[in-house]
Amino acid sequence: MLTRSALLYLARQEKLKDFAARFSLFRNLTTRFIAGDGIDEAVKAIRDLNAMGCTASFDHLNESVANAAETEGEVREYLDILEQIDQTGIKSNVSIKLTQFGLEIDPELAYRNARQVVVDAARRGNFVRIDMESSVVTQVTIDIFKRLRAEFGLNDVGIVLQSYLRRTYDDAQDLLQIPARIRICKGAYNEPPEVAFPDKKDVDENYIRVMKLLLSSGTYHGIATHDPNMINATIRYARDEGIGKEAFEFQMLYGIRRNLQEQLARDGYNMRVYVPYGKHWYPYFMRRLAERPANIWFVMKNLWK
Ligand SMILES: Cc1cc2nc3c(=O)[nH]c(=O)nc-3n(C[C@H](O)[C@H](O)[C@H](O)COP(=O)(O)OP(=O)(O)OC[C@H]3O[C@@H](n4cnc5c(N)ncnc54)[C@H](O)[C@@H]3O)c2cc1C
């Protein structure tokens, strides 16, 4: 059986990423987790989610972009998404990755590219969430976020923290001072024990600590998880503290725990679904397999369909 770290190792193989993007055969395997190749398919998926009572966040799949010209294409794609959101009237914001905008080439390039998207989102009254990637870029991602947040409003740009990182509780306290809108998730990368808790129990405990800090802060945050224990702990804490359902949102990934997404929306919670699309699906897809290796069998069955 392939382990989580083996799958995450494969997720980082750039050659496999390019190989996978070229062969449409593989795309059939990914339909559960990825809305499609183009914006139109993502818009359609988001319309369906909106009809179910959920909002969304567009994610144009790409990361670790090593070519400055390609990062310009990523900016254009996001400007197009923001335009499409306004034209179609769908309820969605956008999620970006700084390595998609050139962070590994030059942090200034990533900042300038991200800024272009935030300018356009702010002008339209929309919101940009900066995803969090591996711990190698945690600090620079926070630094760029802080620069953007100093220029733009609370409701223009937000960030993500990962409860598996030992530093996250302190980061959350620090960012809440600004204040900042935070998405808390468990974290999806392969991290050494010096920086991340190796045991799920500690990751979950930290998640709940940070969730409580966020909910009590009075700012609108995203509680991103498919874990019923985390969701129930959030519901209980909000109820006990008299925090209204409108004061935060749950977030889940496209194709994962759809029934729970629908149920939470029906129960009156704000429910946002992260909708990835595009041809560079490989690393994202592999991280989803790593979270639940049983998904490999689900994917294999699709291959023979
Ligand atoms: C909206 C959103 C945005 C995210 N953004 C980031 C980010 O910016 N940076 C980052 O590092 N990570 C991000 N993640 C991923 C996150 O860090 C976790 O890897 C992922 O959510 C799995 O953790 P969990 O909280 O669902 O709990 P887990 O303990 O992993 O899972 C709990 C249960 O959820 C279900 N489940 C979880 N994952 C899957 C799956 N892949 N397939 C099928 N069932 C599954 C299973 O039933 C599992 O038992 C994001 C997640 C969400 C929901």
Side-chain angles (χ1 to χ4, degrees):
M1 175 58 97
L2 282 169
T3 62
R4 175 176 184 272
S5 49
L7 288 162
L8 290 176
Y9 170 80
L10 287 172
R12 290 199 317 273
Q13 300 313 302
E14 292 300 310
K15 290 213 174 80
L16 288 175
K17 172 180 138 181
D18 293 340
F19 179 77
R22 263 184 265 128
F23 288 92
S24 54
L25 165 72
F26 294 122
R27 276 289 290 111
N28 299 334
L29 305 179
T30 65
T31 47
R32 174 175 167 196
F33 299 114
I34 290 149
D37 278 344
I39 291 191
D40 291 350
E41 289 155 296
V43 167
K44 185 185 170 309
I46 292 175
R47 273 194 212 285
D48 293 347
L49 287 163
N50 287 172
M52 220 169 86
C54 303
T55 55
S57 192
F58 266 95
D59 167 39
H60 183 243
L61 291 165
N62 209 350
E63 53 197 86
S64 302
V65 173
N67 165 332
E70 194 178 336
T71 70
E72 285 167 24
E74 293 299 319
V75 172
R76 279 196 302 276
E77 185 77 20
Y78 272 96
L79 298 182
D80 197 9
I81 293 170
L82 288 164
E83 171 70 25
Q84 290 278 325
I85 293 172
D86 279 357
Q87 272 184 15
T88 57
I90 54 175
K91 292 195 191 108
S92 185
N93 61 30
V94 299
S95 291
I96 61 171
K97 286 188 171 49
L98 292 182
T99 69
Q100 164 176 47
F101 284 164
L103 187 63
E104 288 160 343
I105 307 170
D106 174 9
E108 275 308 300
L109 173 68
Y111 160 73
R112 283 197 308 273
N113 282 336
R115 189 176 185 285
Q116 284 190 65
V117 178
V118 179
V119 166
D120 198 51
R123 172 178 79 82
R124 294 173 185 277
N126 209 319
F127 176 77
V128 179
R129 175 80 63 183
I130 302 177
D131 284 351
M132 189 55 83
E133 303 178 68
S134 91
S135 64
V136 175
V137 295
T138 305
Q139 190 56 54
V140 66
T141 302
I142 291 177
D143 292 344
I144 291 177
F145 165 73
K146 282 183 171 175
R147 274 174 82 183
L148 290 167
R149 179 65 187 86
E151 290 177 74
F152 299 92
L154 175 67
N155 293 321
D156 299 331
V157 60
I159 191 159
V160 178
L161 294 177
Q162 301 149 318
S163 74
Y164 65 13
L165 292 188
R166 296 178 188 276
R167 58 178 285 169
T168 285
Y169 191 81
D170 291 343
D171 285 335
Q173 280 183 312
D174 176 44
L175 288 162
L176 288 174
Q177 299 296 317
I178 301 176
R181 279 175 60 177
I182 297 170
R183 169 200 297 153
I184 183 68
C185 65
K186 291 192 188 178
Y189 297 79
N190 218 2
E191 300 293 357
E194 303 80 67
V195 297
F197 299 109
D199 293 337
K200 177 175 162 54
K201 184 176 150 290
D202 297 323
V203 176
D204 289 358
E205 264 175 36
N206 201 34
Y207 191 100
I208 292 177
R209 273 179 86 212
V210 177
M211 172 276 287
K212 289 181 177 174
L213 188 67
L214 299 189
L215 255 56
S216 296
S217 70
T219 296
Y220 188 87
H221 300 291
I223 307 299
T225 183
H226 315 95
D227 185 341
N229 293 332
M230 302 300 109
I231 292 167
N232 291 335
T234 307
I235 291 174
R236 260 197 319 271
Y237 185 72
R239 209 171 34 216
D240 293 351
E241 296 295 309
I243 296 163
K245 291 178 178 175
E246 71 298 336
F248 63 96
E249 65 186 29
F250 285 114
Q251 300 183 350
M252 290 190 211
L253 301 176
Y254 179 77
I256 301 181
R257 295 251 161 145
R258 228 183 114 93
N259 292 344
L260 190 53
Q261 296 171 9
E262 206 169 351
Q263 183 61 51
L264 287 167
R266 260 206 310 271
D267 291 347
Y269 289 98
N270 293 330
M271 179 72 240
R272 187 177 300 278
V273 180
Y274 184 98
V275 179
Y277 77 95
K279 66 181 170 50
H280 292 296
W281 49 266
Y282 175 78
Y284 176 91
F285 175 71
M286 293 301 281
R287 287 196 294 274
R288 301 298 76 81
L289 294 191
E291 280 153 7
R292 194 161 175 260
N295 284 340
I296 294 173
W297 301 114
F298 174 89
V299 162
M300 295 311 274
K301 273 192 291 183
N302 269 11
L303 185 61
W304 311 123
K305 266 186 195 163

